[in-house]
Amino acid sequence: MIRQTIEAGRGAGIDVALCGELAADPLATPLLLGLGLEEFSVSGPLIPELKRAISLWSVPEVEGVAREALAMDSCESVRRLLLLKRPSPEPRRQ
């Protein structure tokens, strides 16, 4: 549903943002990015952690995570995937 919402928003020229606990969850970050989410709304104190989580991933990696997650049949499977794919806490150097 998140992917469908993002695609529908883009098709209509409307920005789509996600706020709340899911947007602030570093474990969900690669999935949300891979689904095409570009705007996260989180409280100020959570911004550094979200930025760090984003810095750990490349675009091809998050797209791969999203493809794998969309093929799964349960939220438990998706959570296991995200835990398995979680990178080390060191940010990428470019």
Side-chain angles (χ1 to χ4, degrees):
M1 290 182 359
I2 293 171
R3 182 180 69 169
Q4 290 174 334
T5 302
I6 293 166
E7 289 174 353
R10 281 194 182 139
I14 300 169
D15 293 334
V16 175
L18 182 68
C19 60
E21 289 182 40
L22 185 58
D25 185 346
L27 188 62
T29 301
L31 177 57
L32 296 171
L33 290 169
L35 294 173
L37 188 68
E38 296 176 343
E39 292 188 37
F40 294 73
S41 178
V42 299
S43 64
L46 300 175
I47 292 172
E49 179 66 18
L50 181 61
K51 287 176 74 172
R52 188 190 69 73
I54 291 169
S55 76
L56 297 175
W57 296 92
S58 69
V59 171
E61 288 171 331
V62 296
E63 289 173 346
V65 168
R67 273 192 304 278
E68 287 184 59
L70 288 170
M72 296 182 163
D73 62 358
S74 72
C75 61
E76 292 85 11
S77 296
V78 172
R79 183 167 182 75
R80 280 193 300 272
L81 170 72
L82 295 174
L83 287 167
L84 180 68
K85 297 282 186 173
R86 183 172 36 187
S88 67
E90 291 301 315
R92 286 185 188 282
R93 302 218 186 264
Q94 298 197 19

